[in-house]
Amino acid sequence: MGPGPSTATSAEPAPHHWPGQVTQRAMADGRPIHYFDDEATPEPVHDAVDTRPLPEPPRAGEVRFDVLTGEWVTIAGHRMNRTFLPSAADCPLCPTRDPARPSEVPDRDYDVAVFANRFPSLAPLTVDPGAPHPPVLGPADGTAYGHCDVVVFSSDHAASVVELPAARMRTIVEAWAQRTEAHSADPRIAEVFVFENRGEEIGVTLSHPHGQVYAYPFVPPRTAQFLEQARRHRQATGNNLLRDVLDAERSEGTRVVLRGEHFTAYVPRAARWPVEVHLAPHRDVPDLAALHDPERAELAGLYQELLRRVDRFHPGVDQVPYIAGWHQAPTGEARELGRLHLQLFSLLRAPGKLKYLAGSESGMGAWINDTTPERIADRLREVGS
């Protein structure tokens, strides 16, 4: 497939009174790239052409069923040789300012860029596996159909999410919501997960500030486990489990660390990690796409405030490694049991010391936390802005 931009529109209608605009183009191998600009402009933008001689994107791998756990495992062998900790000069997420060193983002500048991952765990392109060997037990293998987006938060390689201007964080929230809506509309997608990783301790292979969006063809194990608990709670009480958890935390207040008009942040009563906080909307919404404009605006500020508090959690540590993931309702069956909430956590238990998932956690899935949720909440309140 030859290089060249797509014919998609330059300025789509801004939803929820967001002042920005979205521009869709195509990369040299046909993968879509969406530019989210903080402010709309009347003239065409982001017309730079991706001139790289790229091969076609990889086809989806396999999903195989683990009969011992009842979980699907994605087999993506093409990811073994993906980009790993490149220098700033070779960063694939920086803008292409030197034609001799093209990156994944063809334009010279951008606010937020979202594109399909070049090394996806899940892919929309599938291939007939032929006649695979049938499994000894359980259902047959399937293709790892799905979507994996990279969400680049800034063209500045050294930027930090907590330091981005408020308008940029609002644009990031818009990108999360719009990509959630787009992937949820795919009838083969069961759940959309939006997340951000920071720090090599977490496993980050690109230091440029970015997050990801995974659209799964199956309900992931953690969600499946939650849905079972939510069903039991619904049968026993008639209520939504996550709504009752939020109401209980807000009422008790012991572990609440941040209260907004539309969101509350709290440390869960059975926190697993040495630093962990959840952020949930007051209104019952299934996903980011369902948030109203005032909710999206407040979310942008509260998210950055939570990241600032996490960075101040350990004295003497400038940047705490973390994972921040948005749990959203499944797109089909049992959607009414789900409810949007953020889980933000770090495995740094003390300066220079990580919580390793050793025998009990990795081997048996039986978690042990070396601190208490109440101490975590006290510290997150103490370091508030």
Side-chain angles (χ1 to χ4, degrees), residues 177-381:
Q178 291 198 29
R179 298 315 294 159
T180 292
E181 184 175 24
H183 292 319
S184 296
D186 185 336
R188 297 179 64 179
I189 294 305
E191 185 175 356
V192 179
F193 181 53
V194 176
F195 63 100
E196 177 199 353
N197 302 332
R198 186 180 74 176
E200 291 183 29
E201 301 91 336
I202 296 293
V204 170
T205 58
L206 295 173
S207 59
H208 194 114
H210 73 286
Q212 299 183 67
V213 180
Y214 272 30
Y216 299 96
F218 52 81
V219 173
R222 182 175 176 86
T223 300
Q225 186 178 28
F226 158 73
L227 290 175
E228 179 57 31
Q229 292 298 108
R231 285 191 189 94
R232 295 176 181 176
H233 186 79
R234 175 67 63 86
Q235 291 169 357
T237 67
N239 298 336
N240 180 283
L241 176 58
L242 284 169
R243 154 59 66 181
D244 283 357
V245 168
L246 174 63
D247 288 348
E249 292 290 355
R250 294 180 70 193
S251 176
E252 181 182 350
T254 306
R255 290 171 296 276
V256 170
V257 299
L258 192 60
R259 295 179 187 265
E261 181 181 354
H262 304 289
F263 285 84
T264 291
Y266 62 91
V267 177
R269 188 172 185 276
R272 302 183 177 199
W273 300 94
V275 183
E276 182 173 358
V277 60
H278 291 191
L279 178 64
H282 298 164
R283 190 168 62 90
D284 291 338
V285 294
D287 55 25
L288 290 158
L291 292 175
H292 294 160
D293 185 65
E295 294 166 327
R296 296 185 186 193
E298 181 179 89
L299 170 58
L302 292 184
Y303 183 75
Q304 286 184 300
E305 172 61 16
L306 284 180
L307 295 185
R308 280 190 287 269
R309 295 188 185 198
V310 168
D311 273 348
R312 298 171 186 148
F313 194 90
H314 296 297
V317 178
D318 293 331
Q319 288 195 339
V320 172
Y322 64 78
I323 295 175
W326 285 101
H327 296 271
Q328 309 193 85
T331 60
E333 183 181 356
R335 183 169 174 82
E336 74 283 357
L337 297 176
R339 195 178 190 276
L340 176 69
H341 66 287
L342 171 74
Q343 180 189 27
L344 171 62
F345 65 91
S346 176
L347 46 68
L348 189 69
R349 59 183 177 86
K353 299 178 181 179
L354 299 178
K355 172 182 175 60
Y356 290 103
L357 303 188
S360 184
E361 288 92 351
S362 294
M364 294 300 292
W367 285 75
I368 303 169
N369 199 342
D370 298 327
T371 186
T372 69
E374 291 71 28
R375 289 175 184 169
I376 299 171
D378 287 343
R379 179 59 177 164
L380 287 172
R381 285 191 290 263

Side-chain angles (χ1 to χ4, degrees), residues 6-306:
S6 74
T7 58
T9 60
S10 173
E12 299 174 359
H16 302 278
H17 309 293
W18 171 60
Q21 69 183 19
V22 184
T23 305
Q24 180 178 337
R25 301 294 183 218
M27 304 166 84
D29 56 5
R31 285 176 294 137
I33 180 169
H34 299 82
Y35 296 96
F36 286 77
D37 293 324
D38 297 340
E39 298 288 340
T41 55
E43 67 274 5
V45 291
H46 306 298
D47 286 333
V49 175
D50 185 359
T51 60
R52 295 173 295 168
L54 296 179
E56 287 190 348
R59 263 46 179 176
E62 296 177 278
V63 289
R64 298 183 180 180
F65 190 74
D66 185 344
V67 297
L68 299 180
T69 63
E71 300 171 359
W72 288 98
V73 177
T74 301
I75 310 297
H78 58 272
R79 285 174 52 81
M80 184 64 73
N81 296 318
R82 67 187 185 275
T83 307
F84 181 76
L85 297 178
S87 66
D90 295 318
C91 175
L93 305 186
C94 285
T96 299
R97 291 178 176 146
D98 180 357
R101 303 176 75 97
S103 75
E104 284 280 79
V105 186
D107 212 343
R108 292 181 55 83
D109 199 14
Y110 60 88
D111 292 338
V112 174
V114 183
F115 56 86
N117 197 321
R118 189 177 175 186
F119 303 97
S121 302
L122 307 161
L125 296 177
T126 60
V127 63
D128 183 358
H133 296 291
V136 176
L137 297 170
D141 301 341
T143 56
Y145 177 89
H147 306 277
C148 290
D149 288 346
V150 177
V151 184
V152 192
F153 299 148
S154 170
S155 59
D156 182 358
H157 183 83
S160 173
V161 177
V162 297
E163 298 170 348
L164 294 175
R168 176 62 47 77
M169 192 65 234
R170 175 65 181 84
T171 298
I172 293 170
V173 171
E174 194 66 29
W176 288 344
Q178 291 198 29
R179 298 315 294 159
T180 292
E181 184 175 24
H183 292 319
S184 296
D186 185 336
R188 297 179 64 179
I189 294 305
E191 185 175 356
V192 179
F193 181 53
V194 176
F195 63 100
E196 177 199 353
N197 302 332
R198 186 180 74 176
E200 291 183 29
E201 301 91 336
I202 296 293
V204 170
T205 58
L206 295 173
S207 59
H208 194 114
H210 73 286
Q212 299 183 67
V213 180
Y214 272 30
Y216 299 96
F218 52 81
V219 173
R222 182 175 176 86
T223 300
Q225 186 178 28
F226 158 73
L227 290 175
E228 179 57 31
Q229 292 298 108
R231 285 191 189 94
R232 295 176 181 176
H233 186 79
R234 175 67 63 86
Q235 291 169 357
T237 67
N239 298 336
N240 180 283
L241 176 58
L242 284 169
R243 154 59 66 181
D244 283 357
V245 168
L246 174 63
D247 288 348
E249 292 290 355
R250 294 180 70 193
S251 176
E252 181 182 350
T254 306
R255 290 171 296 276
V256 170
V257 299
L258 192 60
R259 295 179 187 265
E261 181 181 354
H262 304 289
F263 285 84
T264 291
Y266 62 91
V267 177
R269 188 172 185 276
R272 302 183 177 199
W273 300 94
V275 183
E276 182 173 358
V277 60
H278 291 191
L279 178 64
H282 298 164
R283 190 168 62 90
D284 291 338
V285 294
D287 55 25
L288 290 158
L291 292 175
H292 294 160
D293 185 65
E295 294 166 327
R296 296 185 186 193
E298 181 179 89
L299 170 58
L302 292 184
Y303 183 75
Q304 286 184 300
E305 172 61 16
L306 284 180

